[in-house]
Amino acid sequence: MTIPFYQHILEGGNGLTPKEDVLYGLRQDALARFRTLGLPDIKTEAWRYTNIQRVLKEQPFILQQQALPVTAAQLAPAFIPELSCYRAVLVNGHLQPELSDLPDAKDITVSKLSEATQQKGFKAFFDKHPHLADQPFAALNTALFADGLFIELKANAVLDKPLHIIHVYTLTQHAFLQPRHLWIAHPHASATVIESTLGLHNDAVAFVNSVNEVVLEENAELWHYNIQNAAQNSRHVTHTAARQDAYSRYHHYSFALPEATLIRNNTSVALSGSYTETDLHGLYLANGNQHVDNHTFVDHLVPNCNSNELYKGVLLDTANSVFTGRIHVHQDAQKTNAFQQNNNLLLSEKATINSQPQLEIYADDVKCSHGFTVGQFSDESLFYLRSRGIGAEAAKNLLVNAFAFDITDQVHIPALQHYLTEEIRAVISN
């Protein structure tokens, strides 16, 4: 029996990092950190409801997979109708300029991460986020990533159209892929970024372990939409670690849709400057035996910051969902306003949800709250709609869209909002 690659690395095996790599020292430190942390199991509190070791043992994953060519026709289904945007296409984590439509370089740099290692921004911010230090999958990514996307918005730059990043995965064998991204918005810069996924790997299973560091300097603003619509033969572990300086605004929206077997999101924000605004919104629709796990961490380090967090889930069939939301208010973070809520709608008696909202408050002058709800369709609401001539399917769609409205209504791009509403309708109808 072939030993799994992660076990090989844990036991001190070769991490496949050549010594001539300019990041060799950093990668070796990350390998050592991974070996110290170990691979999480169900005894690890943060992974108690997600048996990641079982998932990794399901297939003999290889670490490297050469990307297959992707044509424009294959890419077309990933486009969002009526959306006017720039486009960055990544295949197995590698930027494809010939398939992309990138913005003018005078305001923003969009390049392969492997080509940015000598950039000032890369040296200042890469692998510097404190929340990644204790994450074993983040350490593994740092040690072994091949490439990813580097985005740097210059000071005062305002991107006139959204940048749509399409992550395409093409495989002929079961593979463990590790894209790595670094996005930097310098003072007073503003942009909207949309991420989505296209799976072209047929029967091959893609395990994607991605890390994205986001840096917002003073008074910068970023609207970040992550549409997780991966193929059925996909398992995704995603780390998004943001850092905000004074007066910056970060709006993060996560939409987990069928069909990926596993989605695990670690989303964390360090509020390191006063008067920041942080919005974390999530909507997850899970069907079949899908497993969706959202872990969020909002770290209030300084005074006078606001955070608003709302996650909603709709679960069908035997789907399972996990939500763990942690808000940490440090002793110096007076005048903090922090809100967190997780609401769930179960459309099947076999669907399950495990929710753990958490508050850690060490300051006195704060306004903080958190909550959790779970429910099913109201028979009275269904009867009311049916009695007015609305069919059963249409009635369910209306109720689910009403439930999701608090999230979808926040989407500030009409074409994207319409696309998401139609995706919700299609899931419920099917």
Side-chain angles (χ1 to χ4, degrees), residues 76-110:
F79 297 166
I80 297 173
E82 308 300 326
L83 178 67
S84 175
C85 64
Y86 299 108
R87 191 171 292 121
V89 178
L90 281 71
V91 178
N92 291 0
H94 300 272
L95 179 64
Q96 309 294 309
E98 70 280 3
L99 294 173
S100 303
D101 179 16
L102 302 177
D104 195 316
K106 70 180 180 65
D107 291 327
I108 182 174
T109 298
V110 180

Side-chain angles (χ1 to χ4, degrees), residues 16-279:
L16 305 180
T17 305
K19 290 187 176 181
E20 58 270 20
D21 189 330
V22 295
L23 302 178
Y24 179 79
L26 183 145
R27 291 182 185 273
Q28 290 301 110
D29 289 344
L31 273 178
R33 194 160 69 246
F34 175 65
R35 288 170 181 146
T36 299
L37 293 168
L39 200 68
D41 56 26
I42 57 175
K43 295 180 182 179
T44 307
E45 180 61 27
W47 293 84
R48 181 164 40 143
Y49 299 109
T50 300
N51 192 340
I52 197 66
Q53 291 202 18
R54 184 186 65 187
V55 174
L56 281 169
K57 292 175 182 176
E58 288 175 345
Q59 280 84 25
F61 294 106
I62 63 171
L63 268 178
Q64 304 295 336
Q65 171 70 60
Q66 186 67 35
L68 301 176
V70 175
T71 66
Q74 289 176 305
L75 193 62
F79 297 166
I80 297 173
E82 308 300 326
L83 178 67
S84 175
C85 64
Y86 299 108
R87 191 171 292 121
V89 178
L90 281 71
V91 178
N92 291 0
H94 300 272
L95 179 64
Q96 309 294 309
E98 70 280 3
L99 294 173
S100 303
D101 179 16
L102 302 177
D104 195 316
K106 70 180 180 65
D107 291 327
I108 182 174
T109 298
V110 180
S111 70
K112 296 180 180 180
L113 188 68
S114 59
E115 296 176 351
T117 56
Q118 300 307 309
Q119 296 286 336
K120 183 178 179 181
F122 182 96
K123 294 179 178 179
F125 299 116
F126 183 78
D127 201 39
K128 296 294 197 302
H129 199 289
H131 294 170
L132 297 178
D134 61 350
Q135 298 294 326
F137 280 95
L140 189 61
N141 178 285
T142 302
L144 302 177
F145 79 91
D147 213 342
L149 197 63
F150 177 75
I151 299 176
E152 187 170 22
L153 271 164
K154 297 180 180 179
N156 302 305
V158 177
L159 199 61
D160 60 325
K161 294 190 297 186
L163 174 62
H164 183 192
I165 302 170
I166 302 175
H167 300 283
V168 184
Y169 298 104
T170 65
L171 306 174
T172 56
Q173 302 177 68
H174 307 318
F176 190 92
L177 304 173
Q178 303 195 90
R180 182 60 174 256
H181 315 295
L182 175 62
W183 304 351
I184 305 164
H186 288 297
H188 304 275
S190 176
T192 296
V193 177
I194 303 167
E195 295 186 88
S196 65
T197 304
L198 177 64
L200 301 175
H201 42 85
N202 300 318
D203 295 331
V205 175
F207 191 113
V208 182
N209 172 38
S210 65
V211 175
N212 186 6
E213 291 180 273
V214 179
V215 180
L216 299 180
E217 295 194 317
E218 185 175 346
N219 206 35
E221 183 170 28
L222 179 65
W223 294 80
H224 181 190
Y225 299 98
N226 189 2
I227 305 169
Q228 297 176 306
N229 53 347
Q232 188 171 12
N233 285 339
S234 298
R235 293 92 169 98
H236 286 256
V237 175
T238 301
H239 296 260
T240 302
R243 195 204 81 186
Q244 292 186 247
D245 290 346
Y247 296 96
S248 64
R249 298 166 300 283
Y250 182 49
H251 317 280
H252 181 273
Y253 294 82
S254 171
F255 296 92
L257 304 172
E259 298 281 336
T261 304
L262 167 71
I263 295 176
R264 163 70 181 231
N265 294 317
N266 292 324
T267 305
S268 66
V269 187
L271 283 64
S272 58
S274 294
Y275 302 101
T276 59
E277 297 283 344
T278 306
D279 297 315

